[in-house]
């Protein structure tokens, strides 16, 4: 028996073997959920010009010293600046410019007084001419209600590093800086393979001795969630021919990653292993983790390949621990393992391998409590349905008493 490989070494091996995909250019509207390929710097200041934060009057702030409701200061209204205009003439003391939110403040203006702090009560819907004079009812500080050019983003500043996932906020920011085409990483095409005489697809009747293929559905979800494009092939039978045909079909698709489940455990029909070795350069590892000891990793005609264990929980846990970081690297996505510290409620046991126990999480007394979802069998997918996270029991530890602190890998956001 080969010795057990520790989880961190397995992950390091995998990460050194997979590469980021090439960038492609997409138009901004198609860039949601894509990953930025190169650091993006802003070619302009944002805002691009000094502008008003209020509907009101641009003034020289010194003119307002001493202004209050009992002592209004009257100024001549010499300009009207609607949004979209570009005032050229300078504002001089004693004068005011009517100005709309977002419109450029004129040279010489040092503050904007909100319309509510004047004697004007313009009807916002109407484009009426400004009054000849306006009374200021409040003292303004220098710079008040003026948004300075470049105060959000300075020209040349990096606003998004490579690896950033584009969400609606990033879309807006890219629009603001005039980025109509974005260089993003191609989405990885990931083929999912299942084999087993016992497996039937979800729409087929459940004959005696059969179970439904669940792994290709969990994997499709996990892959999509990790930024990949899942492609599910039909289930192969437990025969060399059937398995070979399936794996060949997978390679014809020209995928970026292949993930198969089952057929890598010691008792499993060796057929899958035979085909994997025939078509590729695959290592079979026994990893010091629970669930998920048997695992295959390597390349098939240059395509990275995972052979995950067949038990539904093992498939999902090995994906979280080993495939998700690899897929993130392939997809060029900045990846951080989301973990929290929690206190366990109830003893936890392990066989000394690094264990990933399914837990629910709740907040209490400023901390987080992790409670086992109950049955931890690697075939019991319900434990994953219930789980908020995977509590990690370190290698070498066989019992963690209730009240111990553990690290929990988050499977969903904590409420
Ligand atoms: P094997 O590695 O083929 O011995 O499979 C290990 C266990 O996982 C067996 O109980 C299989 O029935 C189960 N299994 C394998 N593939 C799947 C699948 N796609 N969906 C659900 N269970 C599976
Ligand atoms: Mg099998």
């Amino acid at each position: 028996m080969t010795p057990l490989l520790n989880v961190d070494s397995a992950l390091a091996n995998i990460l050194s073997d997979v590469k980021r995909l090439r960038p492609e250019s997409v138009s901004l509207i198609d860039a949601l959920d894509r990953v930025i390929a190169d650091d993006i710097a802003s070619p302009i200041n944002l805002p691009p010009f000094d502008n008003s934060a209020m509907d009101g009057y641009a003034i020289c702030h010194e003119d307002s010293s001493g202004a209050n409701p009992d002592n209004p200061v009257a100024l001549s209204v010499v300009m009207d600046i609607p949004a979209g205009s570009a005032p050229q003439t300078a504002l001089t003391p004693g004068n005011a410019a009517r100005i709309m939110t977002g419109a450029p403040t004129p040279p010489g203006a040092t503050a904007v007084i909100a319309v509510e702090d004047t004697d004007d009560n313009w009807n916002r819907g109407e484009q009426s001419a400004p009054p000849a004079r306006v009374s200021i009812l409040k003292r303004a500080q220098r710079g008040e209600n003026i948004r300075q050019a470049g105060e959000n983003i300075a020209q040349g500043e990096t606003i998004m590093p490579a690896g950033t996932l584009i969400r609606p906020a990033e879309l807006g920011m890219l629009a603001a800086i005039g980025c109509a085409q974005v260089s993003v990483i191609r989405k990885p095409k990931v083929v999912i393979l299942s084999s087993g005489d016992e497996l039937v697809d979800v729409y087929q009747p459940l004959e005696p001795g059969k179970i439904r293929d669940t792994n290709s559905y969990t994997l499709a979800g996990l892959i999509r969630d990790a930024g990949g494009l899942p492609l599910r092939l039909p289930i192969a039978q437990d025969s060399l021919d059937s398995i070979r045909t399936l794996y060949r079909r997978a390679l014809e698709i020209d995928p970026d990653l292949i993930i198969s489940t089952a057929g890598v455990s010691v008792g499993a029909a060796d057929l899958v292993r035979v085909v994997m070795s025939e078509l590729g350069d695959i290592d079979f590892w026994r990893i010091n983790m629970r669930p998920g000891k048997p695992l295959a990793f390597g390349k098939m005609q240059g395509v990275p390949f995972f052979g995950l264990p067949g038990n539904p929980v093992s498939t999902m846990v090995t994906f979280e621990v080993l495939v998700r970081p690899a897929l993130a690297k392939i997809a060029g996505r900045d990846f951080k393992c989301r973990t929290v510290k929690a206190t366990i409620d109830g003893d936890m046991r392990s066989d000394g391998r690094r264990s990933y126990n399914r837990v629910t999480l709740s907040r209490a007394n400023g901390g987080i409590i992790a409670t086992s979802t109950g049955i931890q069998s690697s075939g019991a997918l319900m434990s994953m349905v219930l789980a908020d996270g995977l509590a990690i029991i370190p290698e070498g530890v066989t019992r963690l008493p209730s009240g111990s602190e553990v690290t929990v890998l988050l499977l969903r956001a904590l409420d």
Side-chain angles (χ1 to χ4, degrees), residues 208-259:
K210 307 290 185 187
I211 59 165
R212 293 216 169 80
D213 165 24
T214 45
N215 293 346
S216 55
Y217 287 92
T218 50
L219 281 175
L222 289 164
I223 291 162
R224 198 177 293 276
D225 181 55
L229 291 172
L231 294 162
R232 224 184 129 240
L233 290 191
I235 303 157
Q237 297 304 301
D238 281 325
S239 79
L240 264 184
D241 262 1
S242 178
I243 295 169
R244 220 180 253 131
T245 308
L246 181 76
Y247 280 65
R248 289 219 173 99
R249 267 187 73 183
L251 289 165
E252 279 163 14
I253 292 172
D254 191 25
D256 301 303
L257 179 66
I258 298 173
I259 305 179

Short mmCIF file of all heavy atoms in Angstrom, two decimals, residues 208-259:
data_model
loop_
_atom_site.label_atom_id
_atom_site.label_comp_id
_atom_site.label_asym_id
_atom_site.label_seq_id
_atom_site.Cartn_x
_atom_site.Cartn_y
_atom_site.Cartn_z
N PRO A 208 -34.89 -2.54 -9.30
CA PRO A 208 -34.18 -3.09 -8.14
C PRO A 208 -32.66 -3.09 -8.38
O PRO A 208 -32.21 -3.41 -9.47
CB PRO A 208 -34.71 -4.53 -8.05
CG PRO A 208 -36.01 -4.51 -8.76
CD PRO A 208 -35.91 -3.45 -9.82
N GLY A 209 -31.93 -2.72 -7.36
CA GLY A 209 -30.47 -2.72 -7.44
C GLY A 209 -29.88 -1.45 -8.03
O GLY A 209 -28.67 -1.28 -8.06
N LYS A 210 -30.74 -0.56 -8.52
CA LYS A 210 -30.23 0.66 -9.16
C LYS A 210 -30.31 1.85 -8.20
O LYS A 210 -31.15 1.87 -7.30
CB LYS A 210 -31.05 1.01 -10.41
CG LYS A 210 -31.19 -0.12 -11.41
CD LYS A 210 -29.87 -0.40 -12.11
CE LYS A 210 -30.06 -1.45 -13.20
NZ LYS A 210 -28.79 -1.87 -13.80
N ILE A 211 -29.46 2.81 -8.43
CA ILE A 211 -29.57 4.11 -7.74
C ILE A 211 -29.44 5.20 -8.80
O ILE A 211 -28.97 4.94 -9.90
CB ILE A 211 -28.47 4.31 -6.66
CG1 ILE A 211 -27.07 4.22 -7.28
CG2 ILE A 211 -28.65 3.32 -5.51
CD1 ILE A 211 -25.97 4.75 -6.39
N ARG A 212 -29.86 6.38 -8.43
CA ARG A 212 -29.78 7.46 -9.42
C ARG A 212 -28.39 8.12 -9.39
O ARG A 212 -27.79 8.24 -8.32
CB ARG A 212 -30.87 8.50 -9.17
CG ARG A 212 -32.25 7.91 -9.45
CD ARG A 212 -33.20 8.91 -10.07
NE ARG A 212 -34.40 8.24 -10.55
CZ ARG A 212 -35.42 7.87 -9.79
NH1 ARG A 212 -35.40 8.12 -8.49
NH2 ARG A 212 -36.46 7.26 -10.32
N ASP A 213 -27.94 8.49 -10.54
CA ASP A 213 -26.68 9.22 -10.65
C ASP A 213 -26.87 10.59 -10.00
O ASP A 213 -27.61 11.42 -10.51
CB ASP A 213 -26.32 9.37 -12.14
CG ASP A 213 -25.24 10.42 -12.37
OD1 ASP A 213 -24.47 10.70 -11.42
OD2 ASP A 213 -25.19 10.97 -13.48
N THR A 214 -26.25 10.78 -8.88
CA THR A 214 -26.36 12.09 -8.21
C THR A 214 -25.11 12.93 -8.44
O THR A 214 -25.18 14.15 -8.51
CB THR A 214 -26.56 11.92 -6.69
OG1 THR A 214 -25.65 10.95 -6.23
CG2 THR A 214 -27.95 11.47 -6.38
N ASN A 215 -23.98 12.24 -8.61
CA ASN A 215 -22.72 13.00 -8.66
C ASN A 215 -22.63 13.94 -9.84
O ASN A 215 -22.08 15.04 -9.73
CB ASN A 215 -21.53 12.04 -8.74
CG ASN A 215 -21.37 11.25 -7.46
OD1 ASN A 215 -21.97 11.59 -6.45
ND2 ASN A 215 -20.60 10.18 -7.50
N SER A 216 -23.18 13.54 -10.97
CA SER A 216 -23.00 14.45 -12.11
C SER A 216 -23.86 15.69 -11.93
O SER A 216 -23.55 16.73 -12.49
CB SER A 216 -23.21 13.75 -13.45
OG SER A 216 -24.43 13.14 -13.51
N TYR A 217 -24.90 15.59 -11.11
CA TYR A 217 -25.70 16.80 -10.83
C TYR A 217 -25.02 17.70 -9.78
O TYR A 217 -24.95 18.91 -9.95
CB TYR A 217 -27.12 16.42 -10.40
CG TYR A 217 -27.91 15.92 -11.58
CD1 TYR A 217 -27.96 14.57 -11.90
CD2 TYR A 217 -28.54 16.81 -12.44
CE1 TYR A 217 -28.64 14.11 -13.01
CE2 TYR A 217 -29.23 16.36 -13.57
CZ TYR A 217 -29.28 15.02 -13.84
OH TYR A 217 -29.94 14.59 -14.96
N THR A 218 -24.51 17.08 -8.71
CA THR A 218 -23.80 17.92 -7.73
C THR A 218 -22.59 18.58 -8.40
O THR A 218 -22.34 19.77 -8.21
CB THR A 218 -23.32 17.11 -6.50
OG1 THR A 218 -22.63 15.96 -6.93
CG2 THR A 218 -24.47 16.70 -5.60
N LEU A 219 -21.90 17.79 -9.23
CA LEU A 219 -20.71 18.35 -9.89
C LEU A 219 -21.07 19.48 -10.85
O LEU A 219 -20.39 20.50 -10.90
CB LEU A 219 -19.95 17.26 -10.64
CG LEU A 219 -19.06 16.37 -9.78
CD1 LEU A 219 -18.45 15.26 -10.63
CD2 LEU A 219 -17.97 17.18 -9.08
N ALA A 220 -22.17 19.28 -11.60
CA ALA A 220 -22.57 20.34 -12.53
C ALA A 220 -22.81 21.64 -11.75
O ALA A 220 -22.38 22.72 -12.17
CB ALA A 220 -23.83 19.93 -13.28
N GLY A 221 -23.45 21.52 -10.60
CA GLY A 221 -23.71 22.70 -9.78
C GLY A 221 -22.43 23.31 -9.24
O GLY A 221 -22.23 24.53 -9.28
N LEU A 222 -21.55 22.45 -8.74
CA LEU A 222 -20.29 22.95 -8.17
C LEU A 222 -19.43 23.63 -9.23
O LEU A 222 -18.83 24.69 -8.98
CB LEU A 222 -19.52 21.79 -7.53
CG LEU A 222 -20.13 21.22 -6.24
CD1 LEU A 222 -19.52 19.86 -5.91
CD2 LEU A 222 -19.91 22.19 -5.07
N ILE A 223 -19.41 23.04 -10.40
CA ILE A 223 -18.58 23.59 -11.49
C ILE A 223 -19.10 24.96 -11.91
O ILE A 223 -18.36 25.93 -12.04
CB ILE A 223 -18.57 22.62 -12.70
CG1 ILE A 223 -17.79 21.36 -12.33
CG2 ILE A 223 -17.98 23.29 -13.94
CD1 ILE A 223 -18.05 20.18 -13.25
N ARG A 224 -20.42 25.04 -12.07
CA ARG A 224 -21.01 26.32 -12.48
C ARG A 224 -20.74 27.38 -11.41
O ARG A 224 -20.36 28.50 -11.70
CB ARG A 224 -22.51 26.16 -12.70
CG ARG A 224 -23.11 27.28 -13.53
CD ARG A 224 -24.57 27.05 -13.78
NE ARG A 224 -24.84 25.91 -14.63
CZ ARG A 224 -24.82 25.96 -15.97
NH1 ARG A 224 -24.54 27.08 -16.57
NH2 ARG A 224 -25.09 24.89 -16.68
N ASP A 225 -20.91 26.96 -10.17
CA ASP A 225 -20.69 27.87 -9.05
C ASP A 225 -19.24 28.36 -9.00
O ASP A 225 -18.96 29.47 -8.58
CB ASP A 225 -21.06 27.10 -7.76
CG ASP A 225 -20.89 27.94 -6.53
OD1 ASP A 225 -21.48 29.02 -6.49
OD2 ASP A 225 -20.16 27.51 -5.61
N ALA A 226 -18.33 27.50 -9.46
CA ALA A 226 -16.91 27.88 -9.43
C ALA A 226 -16.49 28.59 -10.72
O ALA A 226 -15.31 28.83 -10.94
CB ALA A 226 -16.05 26.63 -9.21
N GLY A 227 -17.44 28.89 -11.60
CA GLY A 227 -17.11 29.68 -12.78
C GLY A 227 -16.83 28.86 -14.02
O GLY A 227 -16.34 29.38 -15.02
N GLY A 228 -17.14 27.55 -13.99
CA GLY A 228 -16.90 26.71 -15.16
C GLY A 228 -18.18 26.44 -15.93
O GLY A 228 -19.28 26.79 -15.49
N LEU A 229 -18.01 25.83 -17.12
CA LEU A 229 -19.16 25.41 -17.93
C LEU A 229 -19.23 23.89 -17.86
O LEU A 229 -18.41 23.21 -18.48
CB LEU A 229 -18.96 25.82 -19.39
CG LEU A 229 -19.01 27.30 -19.71
CD1 LEU A 229 -18.60 27.51 -21.17
CD2 LEU A 229 -20.42 27.83 -19.48
N PRO A 230 -20.18 23.35 -17.10
CA PRO A 230 -20.24 21.89 -16.98
C PRO A 230 -20.86 21.23 -18.20
O PRO A 230 -21.83 21.75 -18.76
CB PRO A 230 -21.13 21.68 -15.74
CG PRO A 230 -21.92 22.92 -15.60
CD PRO A 230 -21.20 24.04 -16.30
N LEU A 231 -20.32 20.10 -18.61
CA LEU A 231 -20.87 19.32 -19.71
C LEU A 231 -20.99 17.88 -19.22
O LEU A 231 -19.98 17.24 -18.91
CB LEU A 231 -19.92 19.34 -20.91
CG LEU A 231 -19.73 20.69 -21.58
CD1 LEU A 231 -18.47 20.70 -22.43
CD2 LEU A 231 -20.93 20.99 -22.45
N ARG A 232 -22.21 17.40 -19.14
CA ARG A 232 -22.47 16.09 -18.58
C ARG A 232 -22.61 15.07 -19.70
O ARG A 232 -23.41 15.26 -20.60
CB ARG A 232 -23.81 16.20 -17.87
CG ARG A 232 -23.89 15.60 -16.56
CD ARG A 232 -25.32 15.71 -16.04
NE ARG A 232 -25.75 14.42 -15.61
CZ ARG A 232 -26.78 13.77 -16.10
NH1 ARG A 232 -27.52 14.29 -17.04
NH2 ARG A 232 -27.08 12.58 -15.64
N LEU A 233 -21.83 14.01 -19.63
CA LEU A 233 -21.97 12.96 -20.66
C LEU A 233 -22.85 11.83 -20.10
O LEU A 233 -23.02 11.71 -18.89
CB LEU A 233 -20.59 12.43 -21.04
CG LEU A 233 -19.70 13.39 -21.83
CD1 LEU A 233 -18.48 12.65 -22.38
CD2 LEU A 233 -20.48 14.03 -22.99
N PRO A 234 -23.39 10.98 -20.99
CA PRO A 234 -24.21 9.87 -20.51
C PRO A 234 -23.39 8.92 -19.62
O PRO A 234 -22.16 8.88 -19.72
CB PRO A 234 -24.64 9.16 -21.79
CG PRO A 234 -24.35 10.08 -22.90
CD PRO A 234 -23.29 11.03 -22.45
N ILE A 235 -24.09 8.15 -18.81
CA ILE A 235 -23.41 7.24 -17.86
C ILE A 235 -22.85 6.02 -18.61
O ILE A 235 -23.53 5.43 -19.44
CB ILE A 235 -24.44 6.75 -16.81
CG1 ILE A 235 -25.07 7.95 -16.09
CG2 ILE A 235 -23.81 5.78 -15.83
CD1 ILE A 235 -26.42 7.66 -15.48
N ALA A 236 -21.59 5.69 -18.29
CA ALA A 236 -21.00 4.49 -18.91
C ALA A 236 -21.32 3.26 -18.07
O ALA A 236 -21.52 3.36 -16.86
CB ALA A 236 -19.48 4.65 -19.02
N GLN A 237 -21.40 2.11 -18.74
CA GLN A 237 -21.57 0.84 -18.03
C GLN A 237 -20.22 0.36 -17.52
O GLN A 237 -19.18 0.87 -17.94
CB GLN A 237 -22.17 -0.21 -18.99
CG GLN A 237 -23.56 0.16 -19.50
CD GLN A 237 -24.52 0.38 -18.34
OE1 GLN A 237 -24.75 -0.52 -17.54
NE2 GLN A 237 -25.07 1.58 -18.23
N ASP A 238 -20.26 -0.63 -16.63
CA ASP A 238 -19.01 -1.20 -16.11
C ASP A 238 -18.41 -2.18 -17.12
O ASP A 238 -18.33 -3.39 -16.86
CB ASP A 238 -19.26 -1.90 -14.77
CG ASP A 238 -19.35 -0.90 -13.62
OD1 ASP A 238 -18.64 0.12 -13.65
OD2 ASP A 238 -20.15 -1.13 -12.69
N SER A 239 -18.02 -1.68 -18.27
CA SER A 239 -17.29 -2.52 -19.23
C SER A 239 -16.20 -1.67 -19.83
O SER A 239 -16.37 -0.44 -19.97
CB SER A 239 -18.23 -3.02 -20.32
OG SER A 239 -18.44 -2.00 -21.28
N LEU A 240 -15.09 -2.32 -20.19
CA LEU A 240 -13.96 -1.56 -20.73
C LEU A 240 -14.37 -0.74 -21.94
O LEU A 240 -14.02 0.42 -22.07
CB LEU A 240 -12.84 -2.52 -21.14
CG LEU A 240 -11.73 -2.74 -20.12
CD1 LEU A 240 -10.66 -3.63 -20.69
CD2 LEU A 240 -11.12 -1.41 -19.67
N ASP A 241 -15.16 -1.38 -22.80
CA ASP A 241 -15.59 -0.70 -24.03
C ASP A 241 -16.40 0.54 -23.75
O ASP A 241 -16.17 1.61 -24.32
CB ASP A 241 -16.46 -1.66 -24.87
CG ASP A 241 -15.62 -2.32 -25.95
OD1 ASP A 241 -14.41 -2.01 -25.98
OD2 ASP A 241 -16.20 -3.11 -26.71
N SER A 242 -17.38 0.38 -22.88
CA SER A 242 -18.28 1.48 -22.56
C SER A 242 -17.50 2.65 -21.93
O SER A 242 -17.68 3.82 -22.28
CB SER A 242 -19.37 0.98 -21.62
OG SER A 242 -20.21 2.03 -21.26
N ILE A 243 -16.60 2.30 -21.03
CA ILE A 243 -15.82 3.35 -20.34
C ILE A 243 -14.86 4.04 -21.30
O ILE A 243 -14.76 5.27 -21.35
CB ILE A 243 -15.08 2.75 -19.12
CG1 ILE A 243 -16.11 2.27 -18.09
CG2 ILE A 243 -14.15 3.77 -18.49
CD1 ILE A 243 -15.54 1.44 -16.98
N ARG A 244 -14.21 3.23 -22.11
CA ARG A 244 -13.28 3.78 -23.10
C ARG A 244 -13.99 4.76 -24.04
O ARG A 244 -13.52 5.85 -24.31
CB ARG A 244 -12.70 2.63 -23.91
CG ARG A 244 -11.24 2.79 -24.21
CD ARG A 244 -10.74 1.62 -25.01
NE ARG A 244 -9.91 0.71 -24.26
CZ ARG A 244 -10.07 -0.62 -24.23
NH1 ARG A 244 -11.06 -1.20 -24.90
NH2 ARG A 244 -9.24 -1.37 -23.54
N THR A 245 -15.15 4.31 -24.53
CA THR A 245 -15.93 5.15 -25.44
C THR A 245 -16.27 6.48 -24.78
O THR A 245 -16.13 7.56 -25.37
CB THR A 245 -17.23 4.43 -25.86
OG1 THR A 245 -16.88 3.15 -26.32
CG2 THR A 245 -17.99 5.20 -26.92
N LEU A 246 -16.69 6.40 -23.54
CA LEU A 246 -17.08 7.62 -22.82
C LEU A 246 -15.89 8.58 -22.65
O LEU A 246 -16.00 9.79 -22.91
CB LEU A 246 -17.63 7.24 -21.44
CG LEU A 246 -18.11 8.41 -20.60
CD1 LEU A 246 -19.46 8.92 -21.12
CD2 LEU A 246 -18.27 8.03 -19.13
N TYR A 247 -14.75 8.03 -22.25
CA TYR A 247 -13.58 8.89 -22.03
C TYR A 247 -13.09 9.49 -23.34
O TYR A 247 -12.64 10.63 -23.40
CB TYR A 247 -12.48 8.12 -21.30
CG TYR A 247 -12.74 8.03 -19.81
CD1 TYR A 247 -13.84 7.34 -19.32
CD2 TYR A 247 -11.93 8.68 -18.89
CE1 TYR A 247 -14.12 7.28 -17.97
CE2 TYR A 247 -12.19 8.62 -17.54
CZ TYR A 247 -13.29 7.93 -17.08
OH TYR A 247 -13.56 7.89 -15.74
N ARG A 248 -13.19 8.70 -24.43
CA ARG A 248 -12.78 9.23 -25.75
C ARG A 248 -13.69 10.38 -26.15
O ARG A 248 -13.24 11.40 -26.67
CB ARG A 248 -12.83 8.13 -26.81
CG ARG A 248 -11.72 7.11 -26.60
CD ARG A 248 -11.12 6.67 -27.95
NE ARG A 248 -9.95 5.83 -27.74
CZ ARG A 248 -9.98 4.51 -27.80
NH1 ARG A 248 -11.11 3.87 -28.06
NH2 ARG A 248 -8.88 3.83 -27.58
N ARG A 249 -14.98 10.17 -25.91
CA ARG A 249 -15.94 11.24 -26.24
C ARG A 249 -15.61 12.51 -25.47
O ARG A 249 -15.70 13.62 -25.97
CB ARG A 249 -17.37 10.82 -25.87
CG ARG A 249 -18.09 10.18 -27.02
CD ARG A 249 -19.53 9.93 -26.68
NE ARG A 249 -20.34 11.15 -26.66
CZ ARG A 249 -21.61 11.18 -26.32
NH1 ARG A 249 -22.22 10.06 -25.97
NH2 ARG A 249 -22.28 12.30 -26.33
N ALA A 250 -15.24 12.29 -24.21
CA ALA A 250 -14.89 13.45 -23.37
C ALA A 250 -13.73 14.22 -23.99
O ALA A 250 -13.75 15.45 -24.06
CB ALA A 250 -14.52 12.97 -21.97
N LEU A 251 -12.73 13.50 -24.48
CA LEU A 251 -11.55 14.17 -25.04
C LEU A 251 -11.87 14.87 -26.36
O LEU A 251 -11.30 15.92 -26.67
CB LEU A 251 -10.41 13.16 -25.24
CG LEU A 251 -9.78 12.68 -23.93
CD1 LEU A 251 -8.93 11.44 -24.16
CD2 LEU A 251 -8.94 13.80 -23.29
N GLU A 252 -12.82 14.29 -27.11
CA GLU A 252 -13.20 14.92 -28.39
C GLU A 252 -13.82 16.30 -28.19
O GLU A 252 -13.78 17.15 -29.08
CB GLU A 252 -14.21 14.04 -29.14
CG GLU A 252 -13.55 12.89 -29.89
CD GLU A 252 -14.56 11.81 -30.27
OE1 GLU A 252 -15.78 12.05 -30.19
OE2 GLU A 252 -14.09 10.71 -30.63
N ILE A 253 -14.41 16.50 -27.03
CA ILE A 253 -15.04 17.79 -26.74
C ILE A 253 -13.99 18.89 -26.57
O ILE A 253 -14.31 20.06 -26.59
CB ILE A 253 -15.95 17.65 -25.48
CG1 ILE A 253 -17.13 16.76 -25.81
CG2 ILE A 253 -16.40 18.98 -24.92
CD1 ILE A 253 -17.98 16.38 -24.62
N ASP A 254 -12.72 18.49 -26.42
CA ASP A 254 -11.64 19.43 -26.21
C ASP A 254 -11.87 20.25 -24.93
O ASP A 254 -11.92 21.48 -24.97
CB ASP A 254 -11.51 20.34 -27.44
CG ASP A 254 -10.24 21.16 -27.39
OD1 ASP A 254 -9.29 20.71 -26.71
OD2 ASP A 254 -10.20 22.25 -27.99
N PRO A 255 -12.04 19.54 -23.81
CA PRO A 255 -12.35 20.25 -22.57
C PRO A 255 -11.11 20.87 -21.93
O PRO A 255 -9.99 20.59 -22.34
CB PRO A 255 -12.90 19.13 -21.68
CG PRO A 255 -12.17 17.91 -22.14
CD PRO A 255 -11.88 18.09 -23.60
N ASP A 256 -11.35 21.69 -20.93
CA ASP A 256 -10.25 22.28 -20.17
C ASP A 256 -9.97 21.48 -18.90
O ASP A 256 -8.93 21.64 -18.28
CB ASP A 256 -10.59 23.73 -19.80
CG ASP A 256 -10.84 24.55 -21.05
OD1 ASP A 256 -9.92 24.60 -21.89
OD2 ASP A 256 -11.94 25.11 -21.20
N LEU A 257 -10.95 20.67 -18.53
CA LEU A 257 -10.81 19.83 -17.33
C LEU A 257 -11.79 18.68 -17.46
O LEU A 257 -12.89 18.85 -17.99
CB LEU A 257 -11.13 20.68 -16.07
CG LEU A 257 -11.06 19.97 -14.72
CD1 LEU A 257 -9.62 19.54 -14.38
CD2 LEU A 257 -11.56 20.90 -13.60
N ILE A 258 -11.37 17.51 -16.99
CA ILE A 258 -12.28 16.35 -16.95
C ILE A 258 -12.42 15.92 -15.50
O ILE A 258 -11.42 15.83 -14.78
CB ILE A 258 -11.72 15.17 -17.79
CG1 ILE A 258 -11.59 15.57 -19.27
CG2 ILE A 258 -12.61 13.94 -17.64
CD1 ILE A 258 -10.89 14.53 -20.14
N ILE A 259 -13.64 15.71 -15.08
CA ILE A 259 -13.86 15.19 -13.73
C ILE A 259 -14.71 13.93 -13.85
O ILE A 259 -15.82 13.97 -14.38
CB ILE A 259 -14.59 16.20 -12.82
CG1 ILE A 259 -13.85 17.54 -12.79
CG2 ILE A 259 -14.73 15.63 -11.40
CD1 ILE A 259 -14.53 18.60 -11.94
#
